Amino acid sequence: MPHFDLGALAYGADYNPEQWPREVWREDVRLMQEAGVNLVSLGIFSWAQLEPREGEFEFGWLDEIMDLLHEGGVRVNLATATASPPPWLSLAYPDSRPVTVDGVRLEVGARQLYCPSDPHYRALSVRLARAVAGRYGTHPALRLWHVNNEYGCHIDQCYCAQCAARFREWLRARYGSLDELNRAWGTAFWSQRYGDWAEVQPPRRAPSFPNPSQGLDWRRFSSDNILELHRAEVEVLRALTPDVPLTTNFLGFLPGLDYFRWAQEEDVAAVDVYPDPAGMAPHLEAGMVFDLTRSLRAGQRWLLMEQATSAVNWRERNAPKRPGLMRALSLQALARGADGIQFFQWRQSVAGAEKYHSAMVGHVPPERSRVWREARDLGQELKALDFLRGARVKADVAIMFDWHSWWALSQASQPAVTPLLPVVGAWYAALRSLGVNVDFVHPEADLSGYRAVALPQQYLLTPDAAQGLRAFVQGGGTLVMGPYSGVVDGDDHVVPGGYPGLLQDVLGAWVEEWAPLQTGEEREVRWADGRVTPVTEWTEVLHADSAEVLASYETDFIAGQPAVTRHAFGQGYAYYLSTRPDAAALTDLLRGAVQGAGVAIAELPDGLDVTLSDTGDGRLLHLIHFGPQAVTVQVPRAVDALSGQPRASVTLHPTDAALLRVPVDFSLRELTARAAASIPT
């Protein structure tokens, strides 16, 4: 696969010159030079301009823009422009419009109006990609292909007859026979047995709970079906421009697409990230996506393709990014392995649904704009940070994440509604509060490079994944498993014999039944050291066979029974947490687990983000402060990464950042941090 390399950190935005008269274009290039922009994403929503009528292409305006950008030193991430079909396509081929679960065919007036199975859309999108690649594949401004845009953002499932037919084809390939399909779907229940492939349909709106195994396979198919659409364009680009790398922009924890599978198709992973500036911890919301994106391609550096300079346009209340927050989040992305920072978009639209979405150049003239000044200054700052492109982020701790388990957990008729992302987010926040780098791993990944692996809620666990975890613990690793995990296999069938059916020997404990709490309900657990802490949402009837009991329930019919256990297995340890503790108790548990695994930690004040990255001859310590109060960080043996001057003590105010070089043997154990006022002067 070709490698994306600008020779510098990438900086720029989505550029949509078709929204503006030609006299603006040269001013755009001048301002890009002022801001240090060296890469723009171009043509993402330009299908109607490039092909205003079927089969009639108009490239003159794009020729002019490509040449202008090249003359100005700005390189291009050129889109295939297939993300938003023009109205003529929907009129000429009405079946290209997607159908909802309720049978409603969607209409013209927004973007991403396409059925991923429609042969007309597929053929026309491939033809457009071929035309664009044929015309610009050797243009000196071209550095990267941008395939489509944000697949699955609005349409991740289509329930039309075309998708039903492709679903049946997918099932035939997966199962081979109706007998095997009936087994996998458990169709003996509710008289659902299929006797002919034509009887099999998508899980459309039904009188009662749909078949969960069918629903799981539908989600798998839908992700694969859109991926096949993506591959059709990729094949054209690789054939015509084999030396030009390509990507498409992911959306972090998007429910509909299995990004572990998708990422293998890209030359570089790219992501769009829009944390809520008014949220409790936007840096944790963003950081979790940054770490996921780096993990998707095994630590390869990646691109932050889109973020907002300030406010977005699609929340109920669209808070701005206060001064300094945009820079701090951008530096956080670089700390977690990004090779470039971009925004949506370059110039703020004056019409359309996103006219109130912030941009690098806003409605306010640049000379009067705080947002422009911050974006311009960041672009200049990045020029001095080019050495970050050689850094790698290595993690000793991983969180297991799996779209298939998420899809299975999201099926109807569960013991309780248990949204996955808040649980994963709580575990992630606890680990990050200890300063440890965190990867996200697929259940069947090689775990040998980690000291500790956390499973916040891995509902679906295949036998192969369970065996991988067993070998990991047996070989000396530490496993921390959360509640309602290891319940079903890859077909969404319960593994009988007590939960988790495939790992009871590793845990030395088993679950008899679940006791989810009602909204607002709270219970308490007592830890071995006498502390009593609250738990919410979920409890279980847990039995400890050979496991050590770390905490027990205090009340209800499970009073006195285990709540948290630890078990020595082989050379490692397996923890099981059967409930949802508060943040402090969860952090305490994870602190003990990772320290016991030999992972160095630091005790960090609220909002201090710490990341260690490795270079060839040492380590980089990235300190970014998102908390409300100033903190002082003591770092022996550190020097400023830019000036080379010793810097053993750093005081950071809100949204401040520091980048330090530390020796290759530096450990987080050497770092101390606390509120600035409590540090003696």
Side-chain angles (χ1 to χ4, degrees):
M1 287 186 174
H3 177 63
F4 171 72
D5 187 1
L6 270 189
L9 290 172
Y11 188 62
D14 284 15
Y15 184 34
N16 299 289
E18 64 269 26
Q19 297 179 18
W20 301 94
R22 277 180 163 78
E23 53 266 26
V24 176
W25 296 353
R26 289 193 178 275
E27 175 65 4
D28 282 336
V29 174
R30 185 192 69 79
L31 288 171
M32 288 176 188
Q33 292 171 329
E34 182 180 331
V37 168
N38 59 10
L39 182 72
V40 295
S41 299
L42 186 65
I44 293 173
F45 299 115
S46 63
W47 192 340
Q49 280 73 31
L50 293 173
E51 191 179 6
R53 291 161 299 281
E54 184 175 357
E56 298 180 21
F57 295 101
E58 295 183 2
F59 288 113
W61 68 274
L62 188 54
D63 292 347
E64 186 176 344
I65 283 290
M66 290 286 287
D67 291 344
L68 275 174
L69 291 168
H70 178 62
E71 291 167 9
V74 180
R75 302 301 175 243
V76 175
N77 174 22
L78 185 59
T80 57
T82 56
S84 191
W88 62 255
L89 192 154
S90 300
L91 179 63
Y93 307 103
D95 287 348
S96 70
R97 292 174 292 137
V99 173
T100 69
V101 68
D102 294 305
V104 175
R105 193 173 290 279
L106 300 180
E107 298 292 342
V108 175
R111 65 179 186 173
Q112 215 169 80
L113 185 74
Y114 58 80
C115 163
S117 299
D118 182 68
H120 300 103
Y121 172 76
R122 287 190 174 219
L124 291 167
S125 62
V126 166
R127 185 177 69 179
L128 179 60
R130 181 176 290 110
V132 171
R135 191 172 187 93
Y136 301 107
T138 59
H139 196 285
L142 179 67
R143 288 295 182 275
L144 185 66
W145 288 119
H146 186 308
V147 186
N148 201 284
N149 185 74
E150 294 184 339
Y151 284 102
C153 178
H154 308 296
I155 301 296
D156 63 3
Q157 302 165 80
C158 173
Y159 294 82
C160 73
Q162 298 178 118
C163 286
R166 292 187 69 86
F167 183 40
R168 288 188 285 271
E169 293 173 10
W170 184 91
L171 292 169
R172 280 178 181 267
R174 181 176 178 85
Y175 293 111
S177 69
L178 278 172
D179 285 344
E180 182 60 17
L181 172 73
N182 283 311
R183 181 209 61 77
W185 285 12
T187 57
F189 182 79
W190 276 359
S191 187
Q192 296 174 61
R193 186 182 183 280
Y194 295 99
D196 190 286
W197 285 104
E199 298 168 5
V200 181
Q201 298 293 328
R204 300 185 178 103
R205 193 70 69 194
S208 183
F209 300 122
N211 184 322
S213 297
Q214 178 189 13
L216 172 58
D217 269 347
W218 172 254
R219 297 308 297 258
R220 288 167 169 155
F221 157 75
S222 295
S223 177
D224 285 355
N225 196 33
I226 300 174
L227 181 57
E228 188 176 315
L229 186 70
H230 173 68
R231 283 174 176 155
E233 292 190 40
V234 167
E235 287 175 8
V236 168
L237 299 176
R238 295 212 190 280
L240 294 179
T241 58
D243 297 326
V244 180
L246 59 83
T247 191
T248 190
N249 43 342
F250 295 160
L251 287 166
F253 292 90
L254 182 74
L257 305 184
D258 178 0
Y259 281 149
F260 278 113
R261 186 175 176 94
W262 274 70
Q264 305 317 305
E265 308 290 329
E266 316 306 317
D267 295 319
V268 58
V271 71
D272 301 347
V273 182
Y274 292 98
D276 189 352
M280 292 294 292
H283 68 290
L284 290 173
E285 185 182 347
M288 196 161 85
V289 175
F290 297 157
D291 284 333
L292 172 70
T293 308
R294 183 190 67 249
S295 302
L296 291 174
R297 288 188 54 80
Q300 180 192 57
R301 296 191 71 87
W302 51 277
L303 292 175
L304 176 53
M305 191 72 77
E306 288 184 23
Q307 62 170 333
T309 53
S310 187
V312 298
N313 66 297
W314 38 266
R315 293 190 175 98
E316 188 173 336
R317 294 285 187 272
N318 292 301
K321 288 181 177 175
R322 295 179 179 274
L325 181 58
M326 180 274 289
R327 172 182 178 265
L329 289 170
S330 298
L331 294 178
Q332 184 190 33
L334 295 174
R336 305 295 176 82
D339 251 359
I341 304 295
Q342 294 187 277
F343 301 93
F344 179 83
Q345 57 181 320
W346 165 253
R347 186 177 285 274
Q348 192 170 10
S349 304
V350 296
E354 292 182 311
K355 60 182 176 290
Y356 299 123
H357 191 297
S358 61
M360 292 183 74
V361 179
H363 295 152
V364 177
E367 64 271 14
R368 299 181 180 181
S369 169
R370 182 267 300 182
V371 170
W372 163 255
R373 289 191 296 272
E374 289 195 30
R376 177 200 61 197
D377 293 349
L378 176 62
Q380 297 303 325
E381 182 180 1
L382 294 187
K383 294 178 180 180
L385 299 177
D386 187 58
F387 58 87
L388 291 178
R389 294 189 303 126
R392 293 293 181 268
V393 180
K394 182 182 182 302
D396 289 325
V397 179
I399 292 176
M400 187 167 286
F401 190 85
D402 179 27
W403 268 267
H404 297 248
S405 182
W406 191 6
W407 294 332
L409 183 67
S410 301
Q411 301 301 313
S413 193
Q414 300 276 348
V417 175
T418 55
L420 179 63
L421 288 189
V423 179
V424 175
W427 285 52
Y428 177 83
L431 289 167
R432 289 299 301 155
S433 74
L434 303 173
V436 299
N437 292 346
V438 175
D439 281 348
F440 286 88
V441 293
H442 186 273
E444 296 179 15
D446 179 4
L447 305 177
S448 61
Y450 300 102
R451 294 177 180 270
V453 174
L455 279 66
Q457 187 169 338
Q458 185 67 31
Y459 169 67
L460 181 153
L461 197 67
T462 65
D464 285 347
Q467 184 55 38
L469 289 167
R470 177 177 287 103
F472 171 70
V473 178
Q474 202 157 27
T478 294
L479 167 68
V480 188
M481 178 180 278
Y484 202 40
S485 291
V487 176
V488 298
D489 63 13
D491 293 320
D492 201 6
H493 294 189
V494 170
V495 180
Y499 320 106
L502 298 176
L503 288 176
Q504 290 180 28
D505 58 333
V506 178
L507 297 174
W510 61 280
V511 175
E512 179 182 354
E513 62 178 325
W514 306 296
L517 303 181
Q518 301 303 308
T519 301
E521 262 195 302
E522 190 174 283
R523 297 286 187 269
E524 291 181 332
V525 299
R526 181 178 296 275
W527 298 82
D529 62 6
R531 288 177 300 132
V532 176
T533 63
V535 297
T536 57
E537 298 184 35
W538 188 273
T539 61
E540 296 178 345
V541 181
L542 176 64
H543 299 274
D545 288 342
S546 52
E548 173 189 2
V549 177
L550 301 183
S552 300
Y553 290 106
E554 280 283 278
T555 54
D556 208 356
F557 73 100
I558 51 176
Q561 291 188 238
V564 184
T565 59
R566 177 176 60 193
H567 183 234
F569 183 78
Q571 300 178 60
Y573 286 91
Y575 291 72
Y576 187 75
L577 176 62
S578 69
T579 187
R580 303 261 165 78
D582 63 11
L586 178 61
T587 302
D588 284 345
L589 176 68
L590 291 172
R591 178 190 293 109
V594 300
Q595 280 188 305
V599 178
I601 68 164
E603 300 293 342
L604 303 179
D606 182 46
L608 179 61
D609 190 82
V610 174
T611 305
L612 271 172
S613 60
D614 295 323
T615 62
D617 56 355
R619 311 189 82 182
L620 291 169
L621 180 65
H622 308 253
L623 304 172
I624 310 169
H625 187 42
F626 295 93
Q629 305 295 330
V631 297
T632 295
V633 186
Q634 306 283 1
V635 189
R637 303 194 292 156
V639 299
D640 187 279
L642 295 175
S643 70
Q645 296 299 309
R647 202 171 182 194
S649 179
V650 180
T651 296
L652 300 173
H653 295 276
T655 71
D656 277 355
L659 182 58
L660 308 177
R661 290 191 184 274
V662 292
V664 69
D665 62 344
F666 175 82
S667 165
L668 282 177
R669 298 183 185 94
E670 301 177 54
L671 182 153
T672 58
R674 55 183 68 91
S678 65
I679 298 279
T681 57

